[in-house]
Amino acid sequence: MGIILGIDVGISTTKIVGLRDGKPSAPIRITAADPITSLYGAFGKYLHDNSLQLEEIDHVMLTGVGAAYVKNDVYGVKTSRCDEFIADALGARFESHIDHAIVVSMGTGTSFVMCHGDKIEHIGGIGIGGGTLQGLSRIMLNTSDIKQVSELAMQGNIKHINLLIGDISAQPLPGLPMEATASLFAHAKNDASREDIACGIITMVLQSIGSAAVLAAQGTDCRDMVLIGHLSLLPQCKDIFPALEKLYNVRFHIPKYSQFCTAIGAALAYGKKEMK
C-alpha cells in the first residue's frame, strides 16, 4: 500500500501527515489566507519535502472546518472525509496509547471528546482557545503572535495578575492550596507590564480549558485528559497542567505529535466506518 494522507483543514492553517504501514511521518503545518490555499500549499509542500510523486499517494482523508470548502478530489487523488471529533479521538488515542480519556482539542475554541475504546462521543466544548489568546493579545499587547506572547509570558509574574488563595486567606482552604487561583486577573493593576499581562492571558486560557475538562469528566470514571492542538505546545503547559493534576487528581497527557493528532486521526479513519 502507498501513503494515506491525513489533512486537517482549518480556516487559515492546514496540518498534513502521511500514514504508511500504520505509522505517521513527516507532519507539516502551513498557514495561508484561506483554506483552499493552505490545503493545496500543504499538499504540494509535503510531496516536495519528501521527494514523493503524486502516484505514491493512495488516498486523501480530509477533516476540519475547512474541509467543507473542498468539493472534489484533491489533485485527482481519491479523497474522503472524516468527522473532526472522530479524527480528534482516533489521533489522540493512537498517539497517547490511552483507550479511555477525554480528548481536549485546543483550537480556536476547545472541544471535549470522550473516548472509551471504540466508543467516541463529543461531550461539549467552550469558546476559549487559541482565538481567545490571540484576540486578547491583539487588544492588550498589540500583537496576535502566539510565540511572541508566550516568550513575553515567560518573563512575567502571575502573582501580579491573578488573585491567589494565599492573598485572601491566612491558611489553605479545604482542597485549595495557597497557590491556587482565587480569581483570574483580579490582582491586575492599570500599570501592569506587558510580560505580566501576557502571563495572565496564557494562564487564564490554559487554566480555563483544564478546569472545564475536569468538569466535563464529572460523573464519569475518566481521570485521563489528552491535550491536542497547537496550544499544547506552549511551554506554560508544563507548569499549569501539572498544578491542575494535583488540585483535581487527574492526569493530563501531551502526545509527541499533539498538534497533528487530528490529521493523524483522519488518516487512521481510512477504510473504517468513520470514513465518509
Side-chain angles (χ1 to χ4, degrees):
M1 179 182 286
I3 296 172
I4 307 300
L5 285 187
I7 308 180
D8 176 14
V9 189
I11 295 302
S12 61
T13 301
T14 289
K15 298 164 188 174
I16 182 170
V17 64
L19 200 69
R20 173 178 275 171
D21 299 325
K23 297 179 180 179
S25 64
I28 61 172
R29 180 176 183 267
I30 292 289
T31 299
D34 63 84
I36 298 299
T37 302
S38 64
L39 165 62
Y40 280 88
F43 195 116
K45 180 172 174 56
Y46 189 88
L47 294 179
H48 176 270
D49 288 357
N50 293 282
S51 301
L52 294 170
Q53 299 299 313
L54 198 57
E55 299 77 30
E56 296 179 75
I57 308 301
D58 272 5
H59 205 94
V60 173
M61 291 293 300
L62 300 180
T63 192
V65 293
Y69 293 93
V70 184
K71 305 301 182 183
N72 302 310
D73 290 344
V74 180
Y75 285 126
V77 179
K78 182 63 178 175
T79 301
S80 302
R81 288 158 181 77
C82 174
D83 179 88
E84 184 173 359
F85 299 130
I86 299 294
D88 289 342
L90 292 177
R93 183 177 65 183
F94 180 87
E95 283 293 302
S96 67
H97 306 289
I98 300 172
D99 283 336
H100 186 28
I102 290 179
V103 179
V104 183
S105 180
M106 301 187 290
T108 305
T110 301
S111 66
F112 304 116
V113 179
M114 177 68 78
C115 181
H116 196 171
D118 290 330
K119 183 179 179 181
I120 296 170
E121 180 185 7
H122 174 230
I123 58 175
I126 57 173
I128 297 176
T132 313
L133 198 162
Q134 287 184 307
L136 290 176
S137 297
R138 190 180 301 117
I139 293 170
M140 302 170 74
L141 300 171
N142 200 32
T143 180
S144 59
D145 185 333
I146 291 181
K147 182 178 180 182
Q148 182 184 357
V149 176
S150 176
E151 290 172 351
L152 278 172
M154 293 177 73
Q155 309 303 318
N157 187 340
I158 197 59
K159 292 181 180 180
H160 296 164
I161 299 293
N162 289 350
L163 192 70
L164 307 181
I165 293 296
D167 295 322
I168 59 176
S169 177
Q171 58 187 15
L173 300 177
L176 293 173
M178 300 293 272
E179 66 273 14
T181 303
S183 184
L184 296 161
F185 270 86
H187 215 220
K189 304 294 189 295
N190 58 7
D191 61 348
S193 69
R194 284 170 54 82
E195 292 79 5
D196 289 345
I197 292 171
C199 184
I201 293 172
I202 288 181
T203 300
M204 182 189 72
V205 169
L206 295 182
Q207 274 194 5
S208 297
I209 290 171
S211 297
V214 172
L215 290 173
Q218 296 302 301
T220 77
D221 62 347
C222 184
R223 309 311 294 166
D224 289 286
M225 324 283 170
V226 180
L227 304 172
I228 67 173
H230 191 60
L231 292 188
S232 65
L233 302 182
L234 287 172
Q236 288 78 12
C237 289
K238 297 177 181 178
D239 295 321
I240 291 172
F241 287 106
L244 291 175
E245 286 182 329
K246 292 173 62 178
L247 188 60
Y248 294 116
N249 190 29
V250 296
R251 296 173 293 273
F252 288 98
H253 309 269
I254 301 178
K256 177 183 177 182
Y257 289 134
S258 57
Q259 70 165 316
F260 296 103
C261 277
T262 306
I264 292 171
L268 290 168
Y270 175 69
K272 295 183 170 59
K273 62 180 181 179
E274 292 86 4
M275 177 176 162
K276 299 178 183 177

